[in-house]
Amino acid sequence: MSSPSELPDPVPLLDLKAQHKTIRSEVLREIERVIDSQYFILGPEVEALEKEIAEYCQSAYALGVSSGTDALLLAFMSLGLDSNDEVITTPYTFFATAGSLQRVGANIRFVDIEPDTFNLNPDLIEESVNEKTKAIVPVHLYGRCANMDQINAIAQQHQLKVVEDAAQAIGSEWKGKRAGSMGDIGCFSFFPSKNLGGYGDGGIMTFQDEELYEFAKIMRVHGGKPKYYHRFIGGNFRLDAIQAAGLRVKLRHLDSWSEARRKNAEEYNQRFLDTGLVGEEIQLTELPDDRHIINQYIIRCKNRDELFNHLKEQQVGCEIYYPVPLHLQECFAYLGHQEGDFPHSEQAAKETLALPVYPELSEAQKDRVVDVVRSFYQAG
Ligand SMILES: *Cc1c(COP(=O)(O)O)cnc(C)c1O
């Protein structure tokens, strides 16, 4: 094996500096404007972002919040979910989806995923609905929308609320409808690794219903209305103006970035097919006809953990999302689940690997990623 100094340039999983170069002066000018105004909390900059995101997400209203996690928490608080309620969601997601449900005291009811989309399997939802069920929380994992026709049909039939965890899916579509426009509330994250990443933590929620939006807006500032008069207990869930100013610049580039990711994903799929490894050693994720923003490019692979180490040794960035499905997390042991309860989630946790797919990847970098994967299986 060659020593690290002889290796080609590293390929990071994500290269935010490459993106920053292209918008640096514009972003700094906008952030400087906010600092000069000395208006930091909510205010006109956040309101302008909310209008732009509502329109981008085909939604009536948007509400800027402190993070994607807080978007979920505030959504569940605004719907009044508590320990009398059951909520259906997927065990194959980032921790915050279920963590936020637990924080309002709701009873989590996991339902397994579809192996080909990694999203909640709608055919398994109905059998988990009972008289305590109040909501379904689909996650549009990796940037691909869950089957919202079926999920909404079940929700309508049983009068359940739907909260879309769209943290990874801004701009993604299900049959022409944007993520966040199909449920009662859509929750987005501006964590820097998302397609629309901020300059720190941030998030946003989308709504169709005015009353629900107005209530969440009150709960965003401690639940007081008028200010200092409390019928409700909310929290500090505010987005700040510096974040909003930077995000507004980035929003103008978001479509071209998401298209570049999709193109990279299509090229990877073709290049991996050309290696002859597909079928036995690796399995590709088929891309839907619908708009998929490819927050992560995911393959399934044989000997995943060894391949992960090989890629790291060769300085190719990769990550395992997520190594432990939520029903097997220690903090959820009280739910009484065991290995085998959600086999598709467990299998995905064992087999999947995310590869670099960021918009600025060069042809040579994509070649290198595929070559390093190929060399692992050809050597073994
Ligand atoms: C990123 C993410 C969140 C949380 O967002 P933060 O802004 O990091 O709090 C929630 N759900 C999913 C599916 C995510 O990917």
Side-chain angles (χ1 to χ4, degrees):
M1 179 154 298
S2 51
S3 72
S5 60
E6 293 163 26
L7 288 173
D9 286 343
V11 184
L13 181 61
L14 178 64
D15 185 357
L16 287 171
K17 283 184 180 169
Q19 182 169 91
H20 180 57
K21 265 192 227 156
T22 66
I23 53 172
R24 184 176 181 280
S25 60
E26 212 182 342
V27 167
L28 291 182
R29 190 174 60 234
E30 292 302 299
I31 289 178
E32 189 173 56
R33 191 169 51 72
V34 172
I35 292 175
D36 287 342
S37 80
Q38 290 291 299
Y39 200 133
F40 295 118
I41 306 293
L42 297 176
E45 205 64 47
V46 171
E47 281 167 27
L49 176 72
E50 289 170 343
K51 277 213 175 67
E52 290 165 10
I53 294 281
E55 189 182 338
Y56 187 80
C57 295
Q58 300 174 347
S59 293
Y61 308 95
L63 194 67
V65 293
S66 28
S67 69
T69 303
D70 283 346
L72 290 162
L73 181 61
L74 182 53
F76 302 147
M77 288 170 75
S78 301
L79 291 172
L81 297 176
D82 61 25
S83 56
N84 298 310
D85 305 323
E86 272 191 25
V87 180
I88 290 170
T89 193
T90 161
Y92 188 62
T93 174
F94 179 60
F95 177 75
T97 317
S100 305
L101 281 171
Q102 175 53 38
R103 286 171 70 191
V104 297
N107 299 288
I108 299 162
R109 189 57 107 88
F110 288 123
V111 165
D112 208 1
I113 57 168
E114 304 171 312
D116 49 342
T117 67
F118 303 109
N119 284 327
L120 209 48
N121 183 343
D123 292 336
L124 302 178
I125 293 177
E126 193 113 39
E127 64 201 45
S128 296
V129 174
N130 60 43
E131 65 286 350
K132 291 183 77 181
T133 311
K134 285 287 159 55
I136 308 174
V137 183
V139 180
H140 305 314
L141 202 68
Y142 304 139
R144 179 195 193 121
C145 280
N147 182 332
M148 292 306 291
D149 286 348
Q150 250 180 293
I151 289 168
N152 278 339
I154 296 164
Q156 218 158 39
Q157 194 185 337
H158 299 276
Q159 301 195 323
L160 311 176
K161 299 293 181 188
V162 175
V163 175
E164 300 176 66
D165 183 342
Q168 302 180 2
I170 191 161
S172 198
E173 293 179 4
W174 171 260
K175 298 189 178 163
K177 294 197 192 97
R178 288 259 157 122
S181 72
M182 295 172 276
D184 294 277
I185 304 178
C187 298
F188 297 86
S189 165
F190 298 133
F191 188 81
S193 68
K194 315 291 176 166
N195 286 32
L196 180 59
Y199 297 84
D201 276 311
I204 204 159
M205 304 160 75
T206 49
F207 302 83
Q208 316 313 320
D209 180 69
E210 183 175 5
E211 218 172 301
L212 187 55
Y213 157 73
E214 291 292 349
F215 184 57
K217 200 171 173 178
I218 295 167
M219 295 296 275
R220 180 174 66 172
V221 284
H222 301 287
K225 192 175 188 184
K227 206 174 175 183
Y228 308 128
Y229 292 80
H230 291 265
R231 271 177 67 205
F232 309 105
I233 302 168
N236 171 0
F237 297 117
R238 298 179 298 241
L239 180 67
D240 60 66
I242 287 181
Q243 294 305 330
L247 287 162
R248 290 182 68 203
V249 173
K250 282 196 170 185
L251 181 58
R252 299 199 277 274
H253 301 271
L254 180 58
D255 282 336
S256 74
W257 291 335
S258 291
E259 272 155 36
R261 284 169 175 270
R262 168 104 190 189
K263 192 167 153 280
N264 287 340
E266 282 166 359
E267 284 181 20
Y268 270 135
N269 275 2
Q270 189 53 53
R271 285 174 205 208
F272 279 122
L273 278 172
D274 294 342
T275 63
L277 295 170
V278 175
E280 183 61 23
E281 286 84 4
I282 65 178
Q283 284 169 267
L284 305 175
T285 313
E286 221 177 281
L287 298 173
D289 295 333
D290 284 314
R291 190 162 192 260
H292 176 353
I293 63 152
I294 321 278
N295 179 242
Q296 300 294 347
Y297 176 78
I298 300 291
I299 59 171
R300 287 181 190 258
C301 28
K302 202 162 122 184
N303 303 327
R304 192 266 318 266
D305 293 345
E306 288 85 350
L307 173 61
F308 175 86
N309 291 334
H310 177 73
L311 287 160
K312 291 278 171 185
E313 271 166 27
Q314 297 294 310
Q315 302 186 349
V316 170
C318 59
E319 190 54 276
I320 295 166
Y321 300 113
Y322 299 92
V324 182
L326 298 186
H327 66 286
L328 300 177
Q329 295 284 353
E330 205 177 322
C331 67
F332 292 133
Y334 72 91
L335 292 172
H337 288 300
Q338 53 196 6
E339 187 105 32
D341 282 358
F342 305 104
H344 290 303
S345 297
E346 291 162 21
Q347 197 179 349
K350 288 192 183 102
E351 292 181 352
T352 55
L353 195 62
L355 298 174
V357 73
Y358 61 88
E360 298 79 11
L361 269 185
S362 68
E363 297 305 305
Q365 286 175 311
K366 281 176 272 187
D367 284 339
R368 168 128 181 92
V369 172
V370 174
D371 276 348
V372 173
V373 172
R374 190 208 326 251
S375 70
F376 170 75
Y377 289 111
Q378 283 174 353

